[in-house]
Amino acid sequence: MRRTRQPSRAWVIARTDLRQFVQARDFWLPLAIVALLFFVIIPAFLLLIISTIKDVKLVNQLSDVVGSLPADLKHSVKGQKGPVQASYALAVYLFAPLAIIVPLTVSSAVGAHTIIGERERGSGEFLAHSPATERQIYLGKLMASLIPGYFTAAVGFAMYSLVVNLIVGPKVGGWFFPTGNWWILMLWVLPPFIAIALAVILVISARVSSAAAAQQSSALATLPLIVIAYGVSSNTIFKGQALAFGIGALAWIVALLALWRASRAVSRERLLGMGG
């Protein structure tokens, strides 16, 4: 007789959290609006305005913007001088930090509630007495926090690519985005930074006494990380692929160590509100 394979307990916990997240429209809707603003509306608005400028003085000023880029980058900027080159530079080089900040913000908001939320909903006792081990509970909470961040990054990146290719692409000879550096940024550099942020946030969520305190503490703890990620993403785009691979490798090492350390923060006592 063929046996049906049961999903892992960690995945059951993650799936339950994700279902609750989807049902909490008042929680995820503001996050979706922020992501839409930064990935689609603001880039589209700025690129459309720059692409249609006719004023000679403004055209010269935009040419100066491109001229201020490092010499090796100026050669890679495509299109005619003025608005077209400025649109290309804006799309490829200047919006890069948004790709990291927005997913980090989403994961931080979700992760801050994931453990303390169990206590506030009264479901922490049920989870603490479930057959799942503490490691399985931690992995389930981690997956439930990582997936919204990575989903936001993937969907936002796809929408941003569509916007810049539709607006700027026809003026520079066709679809040009994502560039090689952007692929490295999204697939190699961004994932460990989200993981590092969540490692910090899960520890906070396990230790504080309320979701509001978790949200505030997470914002303070991840703000320096967001600033670092901003600088890293900019350098990743500006300085070349070798540096991007190096930064990504270092970030992965830090992320794995941070996640391993954070796994100790989840315990049955803390789910019951008795841990220190």
Side-chain angles (χ1 to χ4, degrees):
M1 183 176 177
R2 187 175 180 180
R3 299 180 59 185
T4 303
R5 187 176 180 182
Q6 297 296 319
S8 71
R9 288 166 179 162
W11 175 241
V12 171
I13 293 169
R15 191 174 57 187
T16 302
D17 277 16
L18 290 171
R19 187 183 297 119
Q20 292 173 348
F21 173 68
V22 171
Q23 292 172 347
R25 184 178 299 180
D26 56 339
F27 182 76
W28 62 258
L29 189 59
L31 298 175
I33 292 173
V34 169
L36 194 64
L37 273 173
F38 282 96
F39 276 119
V40 178
I41 296 176
I42 293 176
F45 178 72
L46 291 177
L47 291 174
L48 282 172
I49 288 181
I50 293 173
S51 301
T52 54
I53 286 176
K54 301 296 183 185
D55 186 273
V56 176
K57 186 177 179 181
L58 281 177
V59 169
N60 291 332
Q61 290 176 343
L62 290 173
S63 299
D64 293 339
V65 171
V66 178
S68 64
L69 292 173
D72 53 340
L73 290 184
K74 282 191 287 188
H75 296 299
S76 63
V77 176
K78 297 180 181 178
Q80 297 177 346
K81 290 185 65 175
V84 177
Q85 283 193 343
S87 298
Y88 182 94
L90 194 69
V92 175
Y93 302 118
L94 301 183
F95 282 133
L98 300 180
I100 279 191
I101 292 173
V102 175
L104 272 174
T105 303
V106 172
S107 283
S108 300
V110 176
H113 290 265
T114 187
I115 296 176
I116 186 62
E118 294 284 357
R119 293 209 298 263
E120 291 196 338
R121 290 191 298 269
S123 53
E125 184 174 354
F126 172 78
L127 191 58
H129 292 98
S130 70
T133 65
E134 291 176 346
R135 176 165 294 185
Q136 289 171 333
I137 294 172
Y138 170 72
L139 288 176
K141 296 297 181 184
L142 180 62
M143 285 191 286
S145 304
L146 283 173
I147 290 173
Y150 289 152
F151 178 80
T152 302
V155 174
F157 183 52
M159 295 176 73
Y160 178 73
S161 300
L162 187 63
V163 166
V164 300
N165 280 312
L166 287 176
I167 297 175
V168 186
K171 298 171 183 176
V172 297
W175 287 51
F176 65 98
F177 194 89
T179 61
N181 282 1
W182 267 87
W183 280 118
I184 298 171
L185 174 69
M186 298 303 297
L187 299 178
W188 180 243
V189 178
L190 173 61
F193 271 96
I194 292 179
I196 293 170
L198 279 178
V200 175
I201 291 165
L202 287 179
V203 172
I204 293 172
S205 184
R207 292 177 182 272
V208 297
S209 57
S210 69
Q215 190 71 49
Q216 293 173 358
S217 301
S218 299
L220 287 175
T222 54
L223 185 59
L225 186 60
I226 289 176
V227 173
I228 294 171
Y230 187 96
V232 166
S233 60
S234 300
N235 280 328
T236 299
I237 293 295
F238 279 98
K239 299 293 184 181
Q241 297 181 357
L243 178 64
F245 274 115
I247 290 173
L250 181 62
W252 273 114
I253 293 172
V254 175
L256 292 175
L257 289 174
L259 291 173
W260 176 71
R261 292 280 298 178
S263 66
R264 302 178 181 179
V266 177
S267 67
R268 297 186 190 280
E269 289 77 12
R270 282 179 175 152
L271 286 170
L272 294 171
M274 298 186 299

